[in-house]
Amino acid sequence: QVQLVESGGGSVQAGGFLRLSCAASGDASIRRCTAWFRQAPGKEREMVAGIESNDNTVYADSVKGRFTVSKRRADNILYLEIDSLKPEDTARYYCAASQRWCYGRILGPGSFEFWGQGTQVTVTS
């Protein structure tokens, strides 16, 4: 099984920078696909970035150019760096993992069976 724990959220002024972390445990075979999602009040949970099974990265169009996802293999840490923060980035951010293979696509929440508790990001204007 997989356990995921997010950290690094907070309140930041528009234009600022934030780095989120996700500590993962469990066999690599059940986290072949990893991703970051976000959910704002009244909105559906959406995938913003991910690391595919071939180690390539994928981003939602809405965050492309500002978000950077990476992974540190030594201790299984997944990162999400957010630059030039906008008020519309305000949401709770979750990391997710799946034992299924994934390649080159933005996926829905149903594609991931393991989730962290989330970390809140609030952007002020």
Side-chain angles (χ1 to χ4, degrees), residues 31-35 47 50-56 58 96-107 111-112:
R31 44 179 168 85
R32 294 185 176 105
C33 185
T34 54
M47 180 176 165
I51 297 181
E52 304 164 7
S53 301
N54 59 1
D55 286 336
N56 288 338
V58 61
S98 175
Q99 63 184 340
R100 304 180 183 92
W101 306 103
C102 66
Y103 300 96
R105 298 176 62 184
I106 294 294
L107 303 169
S111 296
F112 297 86

Side-chain angles (χ1 to χ4, degrees), residues 14 21 28-29 37 69 74-75 78-79 81 91-92 107:
S21 300
S29 62
F37 283 74
V69 62
D75 50 2
L78 185 70
Y79 297 101
E81 295 181 323
R92 192 165 186 86
L107 303 169

Side-chain angles (χ1 to χ4, degrees), residues 58-111:
V58 61
Y59 298 93
D61 289 340
S62 60
V63 306
K64 199 171 298 181
R66 297 189 300 114
F67 285 35
T68 303
V69 62
S70 61
K71 180 169 62 179
R72 189 165 68 190
R73 294 182 179 275
D75 50 2
N76 299 316
I77 304 295
L78 185 70
Y79 297 101
L80 182 67
E81 295 181 323
I82 311 174
D83 200 4
S84 302
L85 281 157
K86 302 177 180 180
E88 50 263 44
D89 294 324
T90 296
R92 192 165 186 86
Y93 285 72
Y94 302 86
C95 62
S98 175
Q99 63 184 340
R100 304 180 183 92
W101 306 103
C102 66
Y103 300 96
R105 298 176 62 184
I106 294 294
L107 303 169
S111 296

